[in-house]
Amino acid sequence: MGNFPGISGLFFDEDLLIRQSSKGVYGISIPDCGLKDFELKKTSADYINKKFARKNDPGLPEVSEPTVVRHFIRLSSWNMCVDSTFYPLGSCTMKYNPKINELISSLGNIKGLHPLTPIHLVQPALKIIYDFNLILCELTGLDEFSFSPQAGAAGEFTGLKVIKKYFDIRGEKRHIILIPDSAHGTNPASSALTGFTPVEIKTGANGYIEAKDIERHLSKDVAAIMITNPNTLGIFESDIKKISEIIHKNGSLVYMDGANFNAFIGNVKVLDMDIDLIQLNLHKTFSTPHGGGGPGSGAVGVRGFLKDYLPIPYVSFNEGIYNISEDKKYTIGRIAPFLCNFGVLLKAYAYLLSLGKDNIASVSEIAILNANYVKKRLGKILDGADPFEDRLCMHECVFTDKAIEDHGISTIEFAKLLIDYGFHPPTVYFPKNIHGAIMIEPTETESIKTINEFLKAICKIRFKTKKSAALKSPRKTKVKRVNEVLANKYPVFKY
Ligand SMILES: *Cc1c(COP(=O)(O)O)cnc(C)c1O
């Protein structure tokens, strides 16, 4: 009975779309275009250079509209998502995204905007981009944001390009970027991609970088430090001002990975930490949906002296008219086609306006409160597993595998067991400097009730689950345990 949808309970079977194909079935009806037969008989080869023309039929599925819709809706129900469950994936800020943002961004005349529409017809859209820049400047204390980068890592890349160009123009050859071991994995990758040499700095026993440890890494080769604050251990870099001072004295710049902005938005200004440039992940902090490669925005903000290096184009405002401008003296050029991922910006803008200026600080306050509630209570359940037991955390907390290991359960089994309780697992085995790490970011959108249910599930796993059951988890999902090593070494992309 295997392949009949709807008979096997909640998790339906689903065949590949290509196997649901029947010759001659259409998903859409195209009205008669009025062209005569002989005109239509031209094949693609008449329009495309022979060298590039397809020799054989591409073999696309021939299916009706209901078949396509049901196929994808069924597949989507196999996935855990923020709209269906608590998703405490550390470092990813998988908070619930209010639907008002979606509503605003899908309004008819906004949704259909073409990026090449003449500017006199899109003044309100340009005003939104312009105003959003002003809001981010106020929230951070920085002087200008570029919305060209379309992901956090693309923001890092852009920021590093700015740093490179800054030193090129000054005629300085600096090739090193200092990166703490508690940084996100994208930091060293973006540095290498920009042609820099990433050099690792070890986190101190307290979980943060100590200013005195920076000195011995300094030389005239250091272009910048790239620092994630709060870091991926969920700990605020308390030496940040001192670090900035030392770095600046060396003639180097301070780049901050601001993906964890939800830990201090509205309470601390980036400029007060003496940061030169930063990327903010609008798709995390500003509540626009992300994951699965969805649209993003890694807005890059800089201090005044770096404004002229930002990517083009950007929105300017002169004599009552909003314009799309390209006049930046030292610009690193284009990072993406057109201005920005406008839909993401709009959702972020709607999010901020619906919160209101007076409530923005509560975002970070509740994020921190929730994380510390989890930290304290889990610290008791997972006795001895909190490496930073005696201190508070910021927006996320991290545990070792000590308590569950004593009980015979590994971190990966712990993660898979949580799925059977209906929760998305936390981030696991990251950061690398925490043994069997379990990193939890509850975010500010979760209620105490949800968090308590999550803690109850962990209690059951910690005290009641047998090794034999752990090995078989998850049992309730459509796809059970996959062989991750095999999947990584020999991925199969064909059907
Ligand atoms: C998510 C994240 C990134 C990368 O952002 P993407 O949008 O996934 O490219 C970088 N740094 C930190 C600290 C992050 O949490």
Side-chain angles (χ1 to χ4, degrees):
M1 305 255 291
N3 280 344
F4 295 99
I7 57 162
S8 54
L10 190 59
F11 295 97
F12 308 132
D13 271 331
E14 187 63 36
D15 217 342
L16 294 172
L17 208 50
I18 192 77
R19 292 209 195 106
Q20 300 184 42
S21 174
S22 315
K23 195 101 198 106
V25 175
Y26 288 86
I28 48 166
S29 311
I30 303 171
D32 186 355
C33 63
L35 290 176
K36 296 196 190 79
D37 261 7
F38 70 91
E39 286 171 294
L40 285 172
K41 270 185 195 135
K42 285 187 173 175
T43 63
S44 57
D46 294 325
Y47 301 102
I48 300 169
N49 186 326
K50 270 214 170 54
K51 200 164 57 176
F52 302 117
R54 201 192 293 281
K55 304 269 177 321
N56 302 311
D57 187 300
L60 298 175
E62 294 176 58
V63 283
S64 69
E65 180 177 323
T67 305
V68 175
V69 170
R70 286 174 186 159
H71 173 70
F72 286 107
I73 291 288
R74 282 196 290 260
L75 287 185
S76 73
S77 73
W78 299 354
N79 235 344
M80 293 187 124
C81 60
V82 276
D83 280 352
S84 65
T85 191
F86 181 42
Y87 206 127
L89 195 64
S91 196
C92 294
T93 316
M94 302 302 286
K95 62 185 179 187
Y96 175 77
N97 309 125
K99 293 292 167 260
I100 179 84
N101 307 341
E102 294 299 320
L103 187 78
I104 303 274
S105 67
S106 59
L107 293 176
N109 49 0
I110 292 176
K111 192 174 57 182
L113 268 190
H114 192 281
L116 293 177
T117 312
I119 54 158
H120 69 278
L121 297 175
V122 289
Q123 287 290 301
L126 296 182
K127 177 175 164 47
I128 287 172
I129 300 172
Y130 188 83
D131 287 354
F132 192 64
N133 172 49
L134 296 182
I135 296 177
L136 291 190
C137 287
E138 182 166 344
L139 282 170
T140 56
L142 297 172
D143 294 304
E144 187 173 328
F145 275 81
S146 163
F147 300 117
S148 285
Q150 303 191 344
E156 294 168 22
F157 178 70
T158 305
L160 287 157
K161 287 280 246 191
V162 165
I163 294 172
K164 197 164 195 56
K165 188 93 190 239
Y166 171 77
F167 286 116
D168 280 353
I169 296 289
R170 293 167 65 90
E172 292 184 51
K173 299 226 172 312
R174 294 175 181 251
H175 68 96
I176 289 175
I177 304 286
L178 301 176
I179 303 177
D181 56 359
S182 58
H184 198 269
T186 48
N187 290 188
S190 310
S191 305
L193 198 64
T194 327
F196 285 113
T197 312
V199 171
E200 189 176 90
I201 306 175
K202 293 253 172 288
T203 311
N206 292 326
Y208 57 87
I209 302 297
E210 288 169 34
K212 61 179 184 324
D213 199 39
I214 300 283
E215 305 263 12
R216 62 191 180 85
H217 292 279
L218 291 181
S219 71
K220 283 290 162 222
D221 287 335
V222 174
I225 190 167
M226 199 173 184
I227 199 158
T228 307
N229 198 19
N231 63 29
T232 42
L233 298 167
I235 290 175
F236 195 83
E237 296 288 349
S238 3
D239 272 3
I240 186 75
K241 270 195 86 124
K242 244 186 277 166
I243 292 173
S244 295
E245 193 186 322
I246 296 170
I247 292 288
H248 284 143
K249 250 194 212 143
N250 192 55
S252 320
L253 299 177
V254 183
Y255 180 96
M256 187 164 136
D257 178 335
N260 297 334
F261 194 33
N262 69 323
F264 62 88
I265 184 171
N267 277 301
V268 182
K269 286 198 176 184
V270 174
L271 190 65
D272 293 341
M273 297 182 241
D274 287 339
I275 304 298
D276 298 306
L277 64 175
I278 191 172
Q279 111 274 352
L280 300 177
N281 288 24
L282 302 190
H283 49 290
K284 287 178 179 167
T285 309
F286 296 88
S287 200
T288 75
H290 61 289
S297 175
V300 170
V302 297
R303 282 159 86 151
F305 72 98
L306 292 174
K307 270 164 87 162
D308 260 351
Y309 295 83
L310 285 175
I312 50 164
Y314 70 103
V315 176
S316 61
F317 182 58
N318 250 322
E319 294 174 3
I321 307 276
Y322 294 94
N323 224 321
I324 298 175
S325 302
E326 303 198 346
D327 56 336
K328 284 196 176 286
K329 192 164 176 203
Y330 303 121
T331 180
I332 59 164
R334 281 173 189 267
I335 287 294
F338 306 115
L339 269 174
C340 60
N341 229 336
F342 184 58
V344 179
L345 222 70
L346 198 58
K347 287 176 205 181
Y349 185 69
Y351 170 71
L352 279 181
L353 291 201
S354 59
L355 265 179
K357 192 174 176 183
D358 294 340
N359 296 314
I360 289 176
S362 65
V363 169
S364 50
E365 284 154 16
I366 299 172
I368 291 173
L369 184 65
N370 275 354
N372 280 288
Y373 179 72
V374 170
K375 180 175 156 69
K376 278 283 163 220
R377 290 213 42 203
L378 256 192
K380 292 215 173 80
I381 297 167
L382 303 177
D383 193 21
D386 182 351
F388 308 107
E389 203 168 20
D390 53 350
R391 57 172 300 163
L392 293 173
C393 63
M394 295 294 285
H395 63 305
E396 60 194 357
C397 51
V398 60
F399 294 90
T400 68
D401 56 2
K402 179 160 187 342
I404 50 169
E405 188 94 289
D406 291 351
H407 186 63
I409 292 175
S410 68
T411 294
I412 190 72
E413 287 154 9
F414 171 83
K416 301 291 182 195
L417 280 162
L418 269 173
I419 299 174
D420 280 337
Y421 284 99
F423 298 107
H424 192 284
T427 294
V428 290
Y429 299 109
F430 181 84
K432 289 174 297 183
N433 47 357
I434 301 295
H435 196 268
I438 299 166
M439 197 192 4
I440 302 171
E441 181 180 7
T443 83
E444 65 276 13
T445 58
E446 297 307 321
S447 67
I448 192 163
K449 187 162 172 284
T450 303
I451 296 177
N452 281 343
E453 281 163 6
F454 174 68
L455 295 170
K456 210 187 308 169
I458 296 183
C459 237
K460 283 205 173 142
I461 293 170
R462 159 79 174 87
F463 296 109
K464 300 252 168 73
T465 306
K466 295 205 169 68
K467 180 75 179 173
S468 54
L471 283 171
K472 287 197 200 108
S473 61
R475 287 174 303 126
K476 295 185 182 170
T477 49
K478 168 71 188 159
V479 177
K480 306 288 185 294
R481 191 79 71 92
V482 293
N483 185 331
E484 286 167 20
V485 176
L486 205 64
N488 271 301
K489 285 184 120 173
Y490 306 104
V492 179
F493 295 114
K494 288 191 298 193
Y495 57 84

